[in-house]
Amino acid sequence: MYANYHTHTFRCTHARGTEREYIETAVAAGMKVLGFADHSPYPFEDIHYSGFRMRCAELADYCETLRSLREEYKDVIDIRIGLEAEYYPAHFADLCALADENGVEYFIMGQHFTCNEYDGGEWSNKGYSFRETTDPRCLEKYCSQVCEGIETGRFLYVAHPDLIRFTGDRDVYAEQVDRIITLSKERGMPLEYNLLGLDDGRHYPNPVFWEQAAKRGAKVVLGCDAHDAERLDRPDLEKRAVRYLETLGMAPEKELVLPKRI
């Protein structure tokens, strides 16, 4: 791969390896751009803490570490500093302020929960995107919130846009996810074909989603979703993904236009 923008670090508590290990693996694999997008902290207003993301207090060290490594490796690879974040309406402005203050360059949207994750509403317990559901309301909520996130203009792309594990009516699924696909195309925003999900045999990438995306002419980008360094050097997996997308008439973007470095 020429570029990957979906790389995690140990700070999210479920990835392993140092930033240097990821960079060295990417360089050895011939990669030219490596974007780190660890699971973002979220400035919730009370003591709620998500166990799968870094804490707010860790963000400064995350950014400083990557800036230092970027300078060290500047002649061999371009290191970019991002975050994978959910769009939570009640807290997103605070997250943007925190990210801007620390020099985060981009967000990718990974909507693991709907509503505001924990706010006690109807969807706080039902809104985990990995949880299997046949309820069209869960699907509709997921798609609506992803679309709202796209509309903010703050995200580089949508990571694993087919993350919602809906096992109900196929036509209902196709109709709802078409909202994400159509809006992303209108905004020129790529959708990620997730290599981690492909390699692990997860419920995504979802063929129904990608058949629909191909019909709409949506942009696609490959994302390693690397939680360990070895995930950055999987040419076999990349070829498998590219071949499948080619059968749909789709070609992954080689490199994305990111904001100016901070």
Side-chain angles (χ1 to χ4, degrees):
M1 291 174 66
Y2 184 90
N4 172 65
Y5 302 95
H6 195 167
T7 312
H8 293 280
T9 79
F10 64 91
R11 294 173 186 82
C12 70
T13 76
H14 61 283
R16 61 184 177 86
T18 66
E19 293 89 348
R20 188 180 297 277
E21 288 173 326
Y22 286 95
I23 295 168
E24 290 285 352
T25 301
V27 170
M31 205 172 285
K32 300 302 181 184
V33 182
L34 182 62
F36 283 83
D38 204 6
H39 292 281
S40 75
Y42 238 108
F44 297 115
E45 69 272 10
D46 59 17
I47 60 172
H48 174 76
Y49 167 64
S50 306
F52 68 92
R53 65 175 80 251
M54 75 170 80
R55 294 180 180 270
C56 291
E58 296 177 294
L59 183 59
D61 177 70
Y62 170 75
C63 294
E64 284 299 323
T65 298
L66 292 177
R67 275 192 286 268
S68 176
L69 288 167
R70 177 162 67 192
E71 179 63 23
E72 181 179 341
Y73 285 87
K74 65 182 179 181
D75 294 330
V76 289
I77 194 168
D78 187 12
I79 304 299
R80 304 307 297 260
I81 305 170
L83 291 171
E84 179 183 6
E86 293 77 11
Y87 171 65
Y88 293 151
H91 311 291
F92 190 63
D94 292 334
L95 172 62
C96 290
L98 179 66
D100 292 345
E101 177 184 329
N102 284 277
V104 172
E105 297 168 325
Y106 70 95
F107 290 144
I108 59 175
M109 191 194 319
Q111 199 68 35
H112 298 88
F113 289 85
T114 51
C115 278
N116 297 299
E117 185 175 320
Y118 78 103
D119 59 5
E122 179 183 2
W123 299 100
S124 60
N125 293 321
K126 297 180 181 179
Y128 181 43
S129 302
F130 268 85
R131 183 174 294 127
E132 184 175 351
T133 181
T134 59
D135 188 346
R137 297 178 303 160
C138 295
L139 175 63
E140 188 279 332
K141 183 61 182 177
Y142 171 85
C143 294
S144 292
Q145 198 152 338
V146 170
C147 287
E148 290 171 16
I150 292 173
E151 293 278 23
T152 67
R154 288 296 306 243
F155 292 94
L156 180 66
Y157 70 68
V158 184
H160 36 60
D162 44 353
L163 186 68
I164 182 73
R165 193 170 189 171
F166 181 76
T167 55
D169 186 275
R170 177 186 173 122
D171 291 339
V172 171
Y173 176 82
E175 179 182 1
Q176 284 295 325
V177 299
D178 190 59
R179 298 163 55 206
I180 295 174
I181 295 165
T182 300
L183 183 61
S184 71
K185 183 181 180 190
E186 289 175 358
R187 298 293 184 269
M189 179 183 291
L191 303 170
E192 180 196 78
Y193 193 82
N194 188 271
L195 299 185
L196 175 61
L198 179 65
D199 193 32
D200 287 356
R202 299 182 179 183
H203 61 279
Y204 62 92
N206 186 321
V208 178
F209 183 98
W210 289 102
E211 289 165 12
Q212 189 80 358
K215 289 178 184 177
R216 297 296 188 199
K219 290 185 177 181
V220 58
V221 62
L222 298 183
C224 292
D225 200 352
H227 287 72
D228 58 71
E230 291 80 4
R231 298 277 185 177
L232 295 175
D233 189 12
R234 291 293 307 277
D236 57 326
L237 198 61
E238 179 189 0
K239 289 177 183 177
R240 181 179 161 195
V242 170
R243 286 195 194 104
Y244 170 72
L245 292 169
E246 285 177 344
T247 67
L248 300 178
M250 305 182 80
E253 302 286 314
K254 180 180 179 182
E255 184 178 8
L256 303 181
V257 178
L258 270 68
K260 190 176 291 186
R261 285 181 179 181
I262 298 175

